[in-house]
């Protein structure tokens, strides 16, 4: 169980960091920030629901003591999947992330450059 949790916690933090880092820039960031917070909170609620369902399912079986480890694997699959879906929805609603300024093509002579 401890090994599963030691993998689960860094994975969740990395997923949330990537989700937040890939947020598109907008002139008014408040609706986008509310969407991000709502998506992360919904992911946490989904993880809690799956944990409760797995515990209830394994309660009467011979594997009842292993429900935390099984739950960790379910959450490790469900939470990143939900965040990826929320990222796709965010891209559809708020647009994609593009460069802040256009690329500048230099006028430097590269004819004598060795590649």
């Amino acid at each position: 169980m401890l090994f599963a949790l030691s993998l689960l916690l860094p994975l969740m933090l990395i997923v949330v960091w990537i989700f937040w880092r890939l947020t598109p820039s907008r002139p008014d960031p408040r609706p986008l920030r509310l969407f991000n917070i709502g998506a992360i909170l919904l992911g946490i609620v989904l993880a809690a629901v799956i944990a409760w369902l797995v515990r209830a399912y394994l309660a009467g079986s011979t594997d009842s003591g292993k429900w935390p480890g099984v739950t960790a694997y379910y959450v490790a699959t469900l939470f990143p999947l939900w965040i990826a879906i929320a990222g796709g929805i965010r891209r559809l609603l708020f647009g994609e992330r593009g460069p802040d300024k256009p690329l500048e093509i230099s006028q430097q002579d590269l004819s004598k450059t060795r590649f």
Side-chain angles (χ1 to χ4, degrees):
M1 179 178 97
L2 289 176
F3 179 71
L5 289 176
S6 70
L7 294 177
L8 180 65
L9 293 176
L11 176 69
M12 296 303 117
L13 292 175
I14 289 171
V15 166
V16 170
W17 179 78
I18 290 172
F19 178 73
W20 204 272
R21 181 76 177 116
L22 293 178
T23 300
S25 57
R26 303 280 293 185
D28 182 22
R30 185 175 176 174
L32 191 58
R33 190 176 309 128
L34 289 175
F35 179 85
N36 286 346
I37 291 170
I40 292 170
L41 288 177
L42 186 59
I44 292 170
V45 167
L46 288 173
V49 167
I50 198 71
W52 181 75
L53 288 174
V54 168
R55 184 172 185 263
Y57 182 74
L58 293 177
S61 71
T62 57
D63 293 332
S64 61
K66 296 181 182 180
W67 73 267
V70 175
T71 299
Y73 290 115
Y74 273 100
V75 170
T77 303
L78 179 74
F79 188 76
L81 182 65
W82 164 247
I83 293 297
I85 291 169
I89 294 170
R90 180 183 64 193
R91 183 174 177 178
L92 288 174
L93 293 177
F94 297 103
E96 65 183 64
R97 185 181 176 117
D100 290 334
K101 60 181 182 177
L103 247 99
E104 296 178 11
I105 300 174
S106 66
Q107 301 299 326
Q108 182 180 1
D109 181 23
L110 299 176
S111 62
K112 297 179 184 176
T113 304
R114 297 179 80 186
F115 291 102

